[in-house]
Amino acid sequence: MPQPARPRLLLVTDLSYPARGRRYGDEDTWLAARLREEFDLALCHPLDARALAGSFDAVLVRNSGPVLYHQEAWDAFRAHALATGLRVYNPLNGKGDMAGKGYLLDLTADGYPVIPTVDRAEELHRLPEAPSYAVKPVAGADLIGLEFLPREEVAARLDGGVLAQPRVDFRYEVSFFYVDREFRYALYAPDPGRRWELAPYEATPADLAFAGRFVEWNGLTHGVTRVDACRTRAGELLLVELEDLNPYLSLDLLGEEEREGFVAALKRSLRAFIAQE
């Protein structure tokens, strides 16, 4: 009796991207081997995604590097996917980093626990006093374009494509990882000066209530999301970033049970995503 056809999956990645403190190629090579257990899978560079995607049931965007390095190709691929109904995972209707960092303005205005963010000089008074301020492009990623400036220099930089935030004195950064809307694991950087030296973190119910608000706000029914936050000296969690395009997963830092649980959840999510009407 013939075996049913296996779903065809195109994994978009840049195995050679020199990520700071992370090994993109290693993570995606390992993940590809695990996904190949259930999918007919091929890897391609982001620049080749549009040309190749039509031969696959879905496209999985993984560690492909910041979009701004191949913005024209990404915009063309995105327009093609939306026009043809191509299944892209994560789906392209995310409201977090895949749409730029403007969501930080929306979350600030709506009173969410996020580092206060403005994009106009006349709104600087809304930010609390701080020794310095983070200034970064709306379309930035991976710390590209980030500067720390004194308050008197910030206004001149807010020209429509830039955000400003107070520089928060935090105890540590912590990331919560979700598949669809299900929490899988958390990692944190105990030393604020060593952002990518991560360790396992045991999330409390309060932590998960915090992170879950942003996953629900984003509205993705399928996909991998990383909620990045910082713990202030006062003990409050504040959102730093909602990564919903191609979040690095730090799978090499997980124990076997957590890693296998994540892979199983991702496979389930991908199968359901491909099978949906």
Side-chain angles (χ1 to χ4, degrees), residues 90-260:
N90 288 354
L92 297 172
N93 59 339
K95 298 186 291 184
D97 267 23
M98 74 165 66
K101 296 189 182 296
Y103 66 92
L104 295 171
L105 299 168
D106 298 332
L107 292 172
T108 296
D110 290 342
Y112 279 79
V114 57
I115 297 175
T117 308
V118 300
D119 66 343
R120 295 187 295 175
E122 57 267 32
E123 293 183 341
L124 272 175
H125 69 279
R126 298 179 182 276
L127 300 185
E129 292 291 335
S132 64
Y133 293 80
V135 176
K136 53 191 175 184
V138 175
D142 208 21
L143 304 183
I144 297 168
L146 174 66
E147 296 181 274
F148 293 103
L149 301 173
R151 192 179 184 99
E152 60 270 18
E153 296 182 21
V154 174
R157 300 301 304 277
L158 297 180
D159 58 2
V162 175
L163 304 177
Q165 300 174 316
R167 189 171 189 176
V168 176
D169 181 21
F170 58 86
R171 289 161 49 193
Y172 56 79
E173 290 186 90
V174 56
S175 295
F176 306 91
F177 297 79
Y178 286 75
V179 176
D180 298 346
R181 299 185 186 183
E182 180 183 10
F183 171 72
R184 299 309 310 180
Y185 59 93
L187 298 167
Y188 81 125
D191 183 348
R194 299 176 181 270
R195 182 184 181 194
W196 289 107
E197 291 187 13
L198 302 176
Y201 177 88
E202 188 169 344
T204 67
D207 293 337
L208 297 183
F210 164 88
R213 285 185 67 186
F214 296 103
V215 174
E216 292 296 323
W217 173 84
N218 201 23
L220 289 179
T221 55
H222 293 89
V224 178
T225 305
R226 192 184 73 213
V227 180
D228 294 338
C230 63
R231 178 82 68 185
T232 68
R233 296 294 174 183
E236 180 186 15
L237 278 179
L238 295 176
L239 182 77
V240 174
E241 183 174 83
L242 182 60
E243 177 55 81
D244 60 355
L245 176 59
N246 53 1
Y248 186 70
L249 303 171
S250 301
L251 294 175
D252 59 318
L253 300 181
L254 303 181
E256 182 177 2
E257 183 177 353
E258 281 186 324
R259 188 163 50 243
E260 291 303 311

Side-chain angles (χ1 to χ4, degrees), residues 9-16 28 32 36 41-56 58-65 70 74 77 86:
L9 187 64
L10 181 64
L11 195 161
V12 177
T13 180
D14 182 355
L15 298 177
S16 64
D28 279 353
R36 195 170 281 115
L41 182 140
L43 279 68
C44 82
H45 189 276
L47 295 177
D48 303 319
R50 180 182 176 183
L52 299 175
S55 300
F56 294 85
V59 175
L60 170 62
V61 180
R62 281 303 314 130
N63 292 321
S64 53
H70 44 263
W74 172 256
F77 168 75
L86 179 68

Side-chain angles (χ1 to χ4, degrees), residues 6 32-41 260 263 267:
R6 303 198 324 163
R34 295 306 310 276
L35 292 175
R36 195 170 281 115
E37 296 167 355
E38 296 190 24
F39 301 89
D40 288 339
L41 182 140
E260 291 303 311
V263 170
K267 288 178 177 178

